[in-house]
Amino acid sequence: MSQEAQAALDRHRLAGIRVSLTHTEASASAIAWSDPRTTDVPWFGKALYYLLPFRRKVVLGNLRLVFGDVLDEQEIRRLAQAYCAHFARFLVELFRFPLMSKARRKAWARVENIESPIRAHDQGKGLLLLTGHFGNWEVATIAGMAQFPQYHRLFHFVRRP
């Protein structure tokens, strides 16, 4: 599937599109239908959604801005509850990480192509490393960096005020 097609499915929160074709010597017909993507929310996401309402309005407002024209209110609430579950996992991982063994931390994140930025740095070139904001990227970045303590001098973090 092309990236454009996947982006369209993702934008409309569709799991896929099915097509059925039939024909005879005299006629042909086809129908297509979409399978909606549903969000499964763990119990603790639902609980946090109701127990900690201080961010609920902001989260729901942002989800309505993004998906308000393609999702019903029930699915937007499910996405907000899934966000609460993700945030709970983030907090658990953030506090759990320093308590892990070195081997467990190394197994938690995979770093690919580290040679390229190291080579650029050794050649005196500047580096700008960008990461996606998927999952717990803060802990994943720290876990990745921990695998290469000899290169910590390469990493400088700039945070927006």
Side-chain angles (χ1 to χ4, degrees), residues 1 3 15 17 22 36 38 52 54 67 79 86 117 119-120 122 138 142 148 158:
M1 175 181 316
Q3 289 180 338
I17 297 175
T22 187
T38 57
L52 303 173
F54 56 89
F67 295 113
L79 286 175
H86 167 76
R119 189 171 45 255
D122 290 344
E138 293 93 344
I142 294 167
F148 302 94
V158 177

Side-chain angles (χ1 to χ4, degrees), residues 41-121:
V41 181
W43 67 268
F44 56 90
K46 293 175 185 175
L48 285 176
Y49 176 83
Y50 291 106
L51 293 175
L52 303 173
F54 56 89
R55 291 281 298 165
R56 186 183 321 150
K57 185 177 179 181
V58 172
V59 171
L60 287 170
N62 288 340
L63 289 170
R64 286 181 188 120
L65 283 173
V66 174
F67 295 113
D69 60 335
V70 293
L71 295 180
D72 63 28
E73 190 63 22
Q74 183 179 2
E75 185 64 12
I76 287 174
R77 272 194 311 277
R78 270 197 297 271
L79 286 175
Q81 293 168 354
Y83 162 79
C84 291
H86 167 76
F87 190 72
R89 284 188 197 104
F90 162 77
L91 289 176
V92 168
E93 290 173 357
L94 185 66
F95 290 108
R96 191 173 130 203
F97 182 75
L99 305 174
M100 289 181 179
S101 69
K102 189 174 184 177
R104 180 75 177 127
R105 280 187 289 212
K106 186 174 183 175
W108 222 26
R110 184 180 73 236
V111 178
E112 297 177 352
N113 198 21
I114 191 69
E115 302 81 19
S116 180
I118 291 170
R119 189 171 45 255
H121 182 266

